[in-house]
């Protein structure tokens, strides 16, 4: 079912929000979206927002200038600039701080990135594919996720079902992995 949706969604330029439990293949879906789209010749950049400390996520996403903060020994290009013309996959977007969410929203609205410590902005054209295992609507109610960002990301919502929701696939998976590891 997910791959039927992928065939329809991949060619579009719209942002996608993939939801589902951990281990349901959200990153595989994001990869498939990118590699089956006109953006495939360009970069696919993945970032696990939950694995990056809150203090440096903005530097990772948007880049920074040399000397901006302790340890910034060289200029760094951010993930959005790396993905320019292609796709950026923001995994575990629900773990991102409200401050970083506001800056991601600006990228989606204006197509501009402002590297940390830089007086200039960089124009980017990038398709955002975000994923989460959290209930973002509940997080919005709690004030932990920006509603405007949610609507910008949730243009095309996809849900990756847990294997328990489609047990008919178990046999095919067993045969695939038995063959792969035999």
């Amino acid at each position: 079912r997910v791959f039927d949706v992928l065939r329809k969604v991949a060619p579009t330029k719209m942002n996608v929000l993939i939801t589902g439990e951990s281990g349901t293949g959200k990153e595989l879906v994001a990869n498939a979206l990118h590699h089956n789209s006109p953006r495939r010749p360009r970069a696919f950049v993945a970032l696990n927002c939950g694995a990056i400390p809150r203090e440096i996520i903005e530097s990772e996403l948007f880049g920074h200038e040399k000397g901006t903060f302790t340890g910034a020994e060289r200029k760094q290009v951010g993930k959005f600039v790396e993905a320019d013309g292609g796709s950026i996959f923001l995994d575990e977007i629900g773990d991102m701080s409200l401050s970083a969410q506001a800056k991601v929203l600006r990228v989606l609205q204006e197509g501009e990135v402002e590297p940390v410590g830089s007086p200039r902005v960089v124009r980017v054209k990038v398709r955002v594919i975000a994923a989460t295992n959290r209930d973002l609507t509940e997080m919005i109610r709690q004030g932990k996720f920006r509603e405007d960002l949610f609507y910008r990301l949730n243009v095309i919502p996809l849900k990756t079902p847990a294997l328990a929701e489609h047990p008919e696939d178990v046999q095919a998976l067993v045969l695939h992995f038995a063959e792969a590891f035999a």
Side-chain angles (χ1 to χ4, degrees):
R1 292 171 283 198
V2 170
F3 289 101
D4 291 335
V5 173
L6 284 178
R7 279 191 219 83
K8 294 175 188 171
V9 173
T12 71
K13 296 177 183 174
M14 296 179 204
N15 298 323
V16 178
L17 179 62
I18 306 168
T19 58
E21 295 176 23
S22 293
T24 57
K26 294 183 292 292
E27 188 164 357
L28 291 173
V29 171
N31 251 303
L33 283 170
H34 175 75
H35 291 290
N36 289 289
S37 77
R39 293 177 181 266
R40 83 178 143 270
R42 303 302 299 254
F44 175 79
V45 177
L47 182 72
N48 184 332
C49 301
I52 308 291
R54 290 179 182 259
E55 304 80 43
I56 64 169
I57 193 158
E58 292 179 24
S59 175
E60 286 292 318
L61 288 170
F62 313 116
H64 64 257
E65 294 295 318
K66 178 181 178 180
T68 301
F69 52 86
T70 304
E73 297 174 5
R74 62 178 174 75
K75 179 180 178 174
Q76 178 177 315
V77 173
K79 301 297 184 190
F80 274 101
V81 173
E82 275 184 46
D84 190 25
S87 304
I88 188 167
F89 175 55
L90 301 176
D91 197 10
E92 301 306 340
I93 192 134
D95 292 344
M96 190 179 286
S97 71
L98 288 170
S99 170
Q101 289 176 36
K103 291 183 179 184
V104 169
L105 180 63
R106 179 185 167 115
V107 176
L108 296 176
Q109 290 175 330
E110 308 297 330
E112 295 178 345
V113 172
E114 189 173 332
V116 177
S118 176
R120 62 180 178 78
V121 295
V122 179
R123 302 269 320 147
V124 293
K125 283 182 132 178
V126 60
R127 179 187 201 179
V128 176
I129 305 169
T132 187
N133 62 4
R134 294 180 174 218
D135 182 347
L136 293 183
T137 54
E138 179 59 29
M139 290 181 70
I140 290 167
R141 277 192 286 279
Q142 296 173 359
K144 295 179 181 177
F145 199 84
R146 293 182 60 106
E147 186 173 16
D148 46 3
L149 177 58
F150 174 77
Y151 287 111
R152 288 282 181 167
L153 293 171
N154 200 37
V155 175
I156 299 177
L158 293 178
K159 182 180 185 301
T160 54
L163 190 55
E165 295 177 41
H166 52 104
E168 67 278 3
D169 291 349
V170 171
Q171 183 178 4
L173 288 169
V174 168
L175 291 173
H176 168 78
F177 289 114
E179 186 176 298
F181 294 110

